[in-house]
């Protein structure tokens, strides 16, 4: 798969198909079931949001798809088809050809994601030199163009600077430029704005969105912030304790959420429209231990609607609409849900 | 630049403190005068000569004057002669320094050449077979005192198998390369192995930390090959402790290879100093200590500058 | 409040395991340490501990333990009985009894055995095993005393420098730099020589005091630096700030909040430091500058046999082996402990 | 906007901060960080005062300077009629117990080598409050109040708890001396949203039960709005805007506040926010811009802003502002429902 070819390839249809992906870690304390059977697909040029609290397995899911995991003490099963090629059985050498060229990734903390002792320009040129075999001068020209594209003033000057001489937002722009260098067909963005200030976060999210559109690049946006995915994705996956519990197009997830967990997550966020001192609806307890996840539905210990059925039988993903799946015995709008809403003194229906 | 000047300032303070202490130490030694006279051969010299000798040491002057004379002599290179044999102290020190520096350089080089590749591979597959193997060996090396190693190697390689000369002599490399090799091989190994163990463990654990940092994941996600990640991305930011340890060891090795020099009968600076102490050659010892302190301080100064090269953040004084 | 929070505290939470997404990830290799590796670590720890116990026990009880201080029952001839004090020329330089490959360099007289004891005998006919265990006394005592004082003084300096910062830190750091500028072993030699009250070369019985003082001075700078670095890390933690806002005084903060956190690093360092000091004492002894008769240290024994390597290798080699194994055991124990602390730290 | 002036100060406040200046040296370079450059504000008894701003704006430094850790370079901090800035160190030690702090990092806030009981008991031991039994009873009571069961948890060490629970323990430690005021320095930003809501609710409850005055420092505007009565917006060591929280969010008058509000991602895909983006990123507090410190990023900056520092003035009842060109008839960032 030469990158030059991909640049001219028509980008439609399924880009990535993940089937029943399992990623467990063997630790001294036991087997951590970080990702426990995840299935979804992503089309060319689409933007997918993966949302969940810390420890739900979203970051590990992204890295597991790319194959960027340690090689020992990891149990990985299932299949990842990228442009029809199986990634899970691919050798490290072949994966290294895809990393950076076809799939790129940016990370949460731009402070630590750049090599502190290597000049910015050299780091940026690296993927070009590796994957495209660019000459030094050629790479430099492309890098300067990239820096301009991601909105960095004085690219010539930045080329010879080190990461610590730049601000956080600037570093994240560098990371994005580096990811874009070889024109990948999908960008994994792992909490790209969590470490940034809110005004800078808005700029970076705009930048990612613009670049995805311009380059017809698919995006997997991993975040804990429902607000971030709401404005910047086409489709959303909600994860809880290593499982997908709800998948839906962005608009219908927010308007017709089915999972009590999604609902609770949404309600626990303080909102600017609400007057000051509005009582927040907190979710009791804390996310489960992934070594010994609860039986049945993994959210049942914290769920106000949980019944005995929830505690014993694990719900399967089912379709509310063809493109809206959820995994719950008593989804939002069900009888049980209304009953509990009334008993809690809330008005059932709507948020 | 500020960083540079600050380090230079520290250097001056240390040099001052060392020379001051050393110049005064003579006055504090019990029976210093008697010892000196005894060393010169007590019965053989008359009162006049005694007084001349003691006057030349300025022992009866006030402290600051003593220090002044000492520094003056140091700077003008007027170091005098040894009590015994009347060899100029400067030539004794430079002869010794030549041997000691050779030993130090060989020892460091061999240690680093052994330690760096081993540490990189052990860190890359930490917990693996090679890691456990090399960790065990490095512990063995660290736990072997050099006099024990010298004894054992001496017994096996020189006494039993007669592969190397029992007593090393200082033969220049260009004069007789093979003899040079056979003479310096054992002392070098005895110096290098314990060092290599220490270096390997330091670098290994730093590398393991570096390999866990985000920027390594970034490099992997770019498709950088494994050797390039290890040597191109991870090694340089992991060298801090190793460089520090190596610098400290420069000081320790130049003067502290006493044991190795004694074991292999090499007349290096360390051995000369020890013999000097026994022989009450205080002047020689004083000046040697100052020279060694200067070597130590200078290497540390250079290493501080090297830090700036290793990590550009140090230059702005964030870490320094 | 929500009861589920409390339930999850009590029911089966294996340590913390609020698995943050990145915590378990590390790119090129694996951590947390796999169970197999840790078990192996525990075995080395036990073996090292057992060896050290044996050495300490033998050293302390050397004068009455039967296997160290041989009873003379096994010999018909009373003269052949050797303990640590008696010289027996009949038994001089006998190889260890298992060393069948090694010939004795002295003719056998009377009913004296050709090979003797576990370690052989030295030039004076002392049993080397007994001598080694008596030697352990001085070596270990010097090591332990020196590191204790070193930790006490160096630790205090490091805590104060790290916590107070600014000028205090600068002054202490400069003093440490000056100390480090003196070549370590030469400094020790000088101090020992300085305290040597005899005017010239006649080495009378030298006590352990100057040696301990020299080793303490050597150990202070590295300890101070280590403790200082650790103190700075913890002094920046917010619980120290919290303690200050609660009105705790500096001394209380140093003793109650910082010291317990710096302790593990200090203990680990003390252990490896002791190994280094035992070796350093050996080096002094090797140069003829340590404790003198009647009971030698390991270093002196190794040095004493040096000239006999060709004819009676065991005189040097046997104490060398004991020294090596002991130092190795101490180092391994220190490493195992630091590993243990590191894991606990990672959890905390 | 570099707001100076005291127009907004009220009489009879529990805590009053006037012209606070805090500076730090930058390494040994001779430069200094102008962390807080002459700010004034106050908090009335029983009020929750929110302080919001981006990283590096000096909000945490302000909180610590009130506690005199470290002592500010200049300015006055008066608490309950007593000046903290003029007190000697022994008096400060005693006065500090009236104001307590909780911090951002729940793990770092607790000494890993002490048990939960020890941690909460420590303040009582420092001041030798009551008998041993009384102290233990008080510790148990406070732990219960923050939702930690003392019988189960008191003997455990911090690493056995989750972030949210550690934060509860920190709150218990702050409460045990029964202070009048608690300074909360980003207490929920390290927590997951579900746990964040628990802690925010807990703080509201405790404020009522213990009749506390709160100072709530955070970068998350929605969180600050939710808990505060009055909000102070800070930028690069200066004040921008002070107003009752509902007013501030309904009608921001300062361009910076407006930019902040419109930058928050809203968890509703049907809402489009008019994009008021600040240009670039906050400059370094080592070399703050002259005049109004926000002018290099401000969409409405004029030459006047570049040279003249705006004074704090009242633009609406109780709504104070430091800006030469406020947003007239201030409106919240336009939010448009698409459907």
């Amino acid at each position: 798969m030469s990158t030059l070819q991909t640049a001219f390839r028509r980008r439609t249809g399924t880009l990535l198909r993940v089937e029943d992906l399992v990623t467990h870690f063997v630790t001294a304390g036991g087997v951590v079931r970080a990702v426990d059977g995840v299935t979804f697909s992503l089309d060319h040029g689409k933007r997918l949001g993966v949302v969940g609290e810390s420890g739900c397995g979203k970051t590990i899911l992204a890295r597991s798809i790319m194959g960027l995991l340690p090689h020992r003490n990891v149990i990985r099963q299932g299949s990842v088809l990228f442009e029809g090629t199986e990634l899970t059985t691919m050798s490290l050498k072949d994966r290294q050809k895809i990393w950076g060229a076809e799939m790129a990734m940016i990370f949460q903390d731009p402070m630590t994601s750049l090599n502190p002792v290597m000049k910015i320009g050299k780091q940026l040129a690296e993927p070009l030199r590796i994957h495209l075999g660019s000459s030094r001068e050629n790479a430099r020209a492309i890098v300067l163009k990239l820096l301009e594209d991601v909105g960095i003033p004085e690219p010539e000057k930045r080329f010879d600077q080190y990461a610590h001489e730049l601000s956080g937002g600037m570093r994240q722009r560098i990371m994005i430029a580096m990811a874009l260098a070889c024109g990948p067909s999908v960008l994994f963005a792992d909490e790209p704005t969590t470490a940034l200030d809110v005004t800078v976060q808005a700029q970076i999210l705009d930048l990612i969105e613009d670049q995805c559109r311009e380059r017809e690049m698919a995006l997997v946006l991993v975040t804990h912030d429902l607000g971030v995915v709401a404005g910047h994705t086409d489709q959303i996956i909600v994860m809880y304790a290593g499982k997908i519990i709800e998948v839906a197009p962005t608009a219908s997830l927010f308007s017709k959420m089915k999972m009590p967990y999604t609902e609770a997550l949404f309600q626990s966020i303080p909102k600017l429209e609400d007057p000051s001192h509005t009582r927040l609806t907190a979710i009791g307890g804390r996310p489960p231990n992934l070594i010994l996840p609860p039986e049945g539905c993994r959210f049942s210990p914290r769920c106000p609607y949980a019944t005995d059925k929830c505690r014993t039988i694990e719900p399967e993903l089912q379709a509310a609409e063809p493109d809206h799946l959820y995994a719950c015995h008593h989804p939002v709008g069900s009888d049980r849900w209304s009953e509990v809403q009334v008993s809690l003194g809330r008005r059932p229906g709507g948020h | 630049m500020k960083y540079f000047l600050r380090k230079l300032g520290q250097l001056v303070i240390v040099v001052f403190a060392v020379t001051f202490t050393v110049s005064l130490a003579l006055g504090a030694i019990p029976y210093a005068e008697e010892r000196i006279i005894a060393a010169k051969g007590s019965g053989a010299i008359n009162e006049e000569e005694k007084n001349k000798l003691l006057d030349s040491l300025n022992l009866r002057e006030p402290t600051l004057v003593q220090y002044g004379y000492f520094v003056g002599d140091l700077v003008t290179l007027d170091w005098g002669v040894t009590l015994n044999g009347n060899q100029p102290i400067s030539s004794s020190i430079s002869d010794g320094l030549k041997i000691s520096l050779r030993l130090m350089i060989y020892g460091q080089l061999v240690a680093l050449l052994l330690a760096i590749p081993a540490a990189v591979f052990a860190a890359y597959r930490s917990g693996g077979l090679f890691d456990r193997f090399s960790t065990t060996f490095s512990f063995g090396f660290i736990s072997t005192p050099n006099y024990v190693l010298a004894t054992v190697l001496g017994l096996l390689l020189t006494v039993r198998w007669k592969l190397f000369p029992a007593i090393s002599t200082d033969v220049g490399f260009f004069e007789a390369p093979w003899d040079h090799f056979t003479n310096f091989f054992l002392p070098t190994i005895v110096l290098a192995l314990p060092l290599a163990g220490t270096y390997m463990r330091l670098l290994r654990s730093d590398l393991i930390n570096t390999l866990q940092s985000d920027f390594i994941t970034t490099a992997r996600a770019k498709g950088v090959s494994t050797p390039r990640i290890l040597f191109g991305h991870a090694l340089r930011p992991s060298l801090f402790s190793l460089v520090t340890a190596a610098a400290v060891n420069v000081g320790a090795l130049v003067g502290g290879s006493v044991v190795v020099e004694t074991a292999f009968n090499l007349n290096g600076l360390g051995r000369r100093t020890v013999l000097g102490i026994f022989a009450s050659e205080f002047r020689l010892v004083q000046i040697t200590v100052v020279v060694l302190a200067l070597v130590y301080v200078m290497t540390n100064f250079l290493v501080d500058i090297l830090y700036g090269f290793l990590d550009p953040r140090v230059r702005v004084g964030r870490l320094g | 409040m929500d009861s589920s929070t409390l339930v999850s505290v009590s029911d089966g939470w294996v340590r913390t395991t609020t698995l943050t997404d990145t915590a378990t990830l590390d790119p090129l290799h694996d951590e947390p340490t796999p169970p197999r590796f840790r078990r192996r670590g525990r075995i080395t720890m036990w073996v090292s501990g057992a060896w050290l116990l044996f050495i300490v026990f033998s050293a302390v009880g050397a004068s009455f333990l039967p296997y160290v201080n041989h009873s003379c029952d096994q010999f018909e001839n009373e003269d052949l009985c050797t303990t640590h004090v008696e010289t027996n020329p009949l038994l001089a330089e006998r190889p260890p009894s298992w060393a069948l490959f090694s010939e004795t360099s002295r003719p056998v007289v009377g009913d004296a055995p050709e090979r003797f004891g576990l370690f052989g005998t030295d030039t004076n006919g002392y049993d080397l095993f007994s001598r080694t265990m008596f030697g352990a006394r001085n070596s270990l005592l010097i090591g332990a005393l020196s590191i204790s004082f070193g930790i006490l003084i160096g630790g205090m300096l490091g805590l104060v420098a790290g916590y107070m910062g600014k000028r205090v830190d600068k002054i202490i750091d400069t003093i440490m730099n000056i100390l480090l500028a003196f070549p370590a072993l030469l400094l020790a030699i000088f101090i020992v020589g300085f305290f040597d009250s005899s005017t010239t070369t006649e080495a009378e019985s030298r006590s352990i005091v100057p040696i301990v003082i020299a080793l303490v001075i050597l150990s202070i700078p590295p300890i101070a630096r280590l403790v200082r670095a650790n103190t700075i890390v913890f002094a920046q933690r917010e619980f120290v700030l919290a303690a200050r806002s609660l009105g705790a005084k500096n001394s209380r903060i140093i003793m109650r909040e910082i010291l317990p956190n710096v302790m593990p690093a200090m203990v680990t360092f003390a252990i490896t430091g002791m190994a280094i000091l035992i070796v350093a004492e050996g080096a002094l002894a090797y140069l003829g500058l340590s404790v003198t008769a009647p009971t030698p240290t390991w270093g002196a024994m190794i040095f004493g046999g040096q000239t006999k390597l060709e004819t009676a290798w065991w005189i040097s080699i046997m104490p060398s082996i004991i020294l090596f194994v002991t130092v190795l055991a101490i180092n391994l124990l220190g490493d195992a402990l630091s590993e243990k602390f590191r894991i606990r730290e990672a959890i905390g | 906007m570099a707001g100076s002036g005291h127009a907004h100060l009220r009489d009879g406040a529990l805590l009053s901060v006037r012209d606070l200046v805090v500076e730090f040296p930058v390494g040994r370079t001779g430069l200094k960080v102008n962390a807080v450059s002459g700010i004034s504000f106050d908090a009335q008894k029983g009020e929750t005062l929110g302080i919001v701003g981006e990283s590096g704006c000096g909000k945490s430094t302000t909180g610590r300077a009130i506690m005199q850790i470290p002592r500010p370079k200049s300015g006055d901090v008066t608490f309950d009629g007593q000046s903290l800035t003029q007190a000697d160190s022994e008096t400060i030690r005693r006065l500090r117990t009236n104001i307590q702090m909780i911090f951002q990092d729940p793990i770092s806030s607790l000494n890993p080598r002490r048990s939960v009981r020890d941690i909460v008991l420590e303040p009582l031991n420092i001041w030798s409050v009551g008998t041993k039994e009384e102290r233990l009873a008080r510790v148990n009571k406070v732990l219960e109040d923050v939702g930690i069961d003392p019988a189960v948890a008191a003997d455990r060490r911090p690493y056995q708890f989750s972030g949210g629970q550690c934060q509860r323990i920190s709150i218990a430690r702050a409460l045990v001396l029964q202070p009048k005021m608690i300074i909360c320095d980003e207490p929920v930003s390290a927590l997951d949203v579900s746990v964040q809501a628990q802690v925010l609710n807990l703080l509201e409850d405790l404020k009522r039960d213990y009749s506390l005055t709160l100072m709530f420092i955070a970068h998350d505007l929605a969180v600050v709005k939710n808990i505060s009565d009055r909000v102070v917006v800070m930028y690069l060591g200066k004040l921008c805007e002070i107003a009752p929280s509902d007013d501030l969010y309904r009608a921001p008058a300062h361009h910076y506040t407006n930019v902040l509000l419109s930058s928050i991602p809203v968890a509703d895909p049907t809402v489009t926010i008019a994009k008021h983006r600040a240009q670039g990123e906050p400059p370094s507090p080592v070399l703050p811009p002259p005049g109004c410190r926000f002018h290099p990023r401000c969409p409405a900056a004029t030459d006047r802003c570049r040279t003249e520092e705006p004074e704090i003035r009242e633009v609406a009842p109780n709504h104070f502002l430091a800006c030469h060109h406020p947003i007239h008839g201030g409106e919240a960032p336009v939010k448009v429902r698409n459907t």
Side-chain angles (χ1 to χ4, degrees), chain C residues 1-2 5-6 8-10 15-16 18 170 237-239 241-242 244-249 252 256-257 260-261 264 344-345 347-348, chain D residues 64 67 69 93 96-97 100 103 105 107-114 122-123 125-127 147-149 152 156 159 165 168 173 198:
Chain C
M1 262 338 306
D2 42 36
T5 318
L6 298 175
S8 58
V9 178
S10 50
R15 294 182 180 150
T16 77
T18 320
K170 245 182 222 168
R237 296 275 294 261
E238 281 164 346
F239 63 79
L241 205 59
R244 287 182 70 186
S245 72
L246 289 164
K249 290 180 181 162
R252 189 179 180 104
R256 301 257 181 128
E257 306 289 347
N261 283 294
R344 205 180 296 159
E345 218 95 293
I347 289 164
Chain D
R64 287 174 195 201
M67 296 295 285
I69 305 174
R93 210 166 69 80
R96 269 185 196 144
T97 56
Q100 281 303 304
F103 304 98
D105 183 348
I107 308 294
S108 164
S109 308
L110 303 176
N111 189 337
R113 310 230 164 247
R114 310 185 92 183
E122 177 76 4
N125 285 343
I126 293 174
W127 296 99
I148 300 277
D149 182 355
V152 180
R156 292 171 186 241
Y159 67 80
Q165 288 166 321
R168 288 165 193 266
R173 174 180 55 194
Q198 295 171 12

Side-chain angles (χ1 to χ4, degrees), chain C residues 142-201:
Chain C
I142 289 170
L145 274 179
S146 322
I147 200 68
S148 309
F149 284 112
I151 285 279
L152 209 68
I153 302 168
M156 218 147 63
L157 288 174
L159 275 171
V160 171
Y163 183 74
M164 303 302 280
K166 293 181 190 158
R167 189 161 297 167
V168 182
D169 185 22
K170 245 182 222 168
I171 292 171
I172 294 178
D173 186 51
T174 308
I175 296 173
M176 294 303 125
N177 261 328
I178 293 166
L179 271 184
L180 282 171
F182 290 100
L185 206 54
L186 284 185
L187 185 64
I189 292 167
F190 184 78
I191 294 166
V192 175
F194 175 79
F195 279 90
D196 194 353
S197 54
S198 58
T199 43
T200 44
T201 45

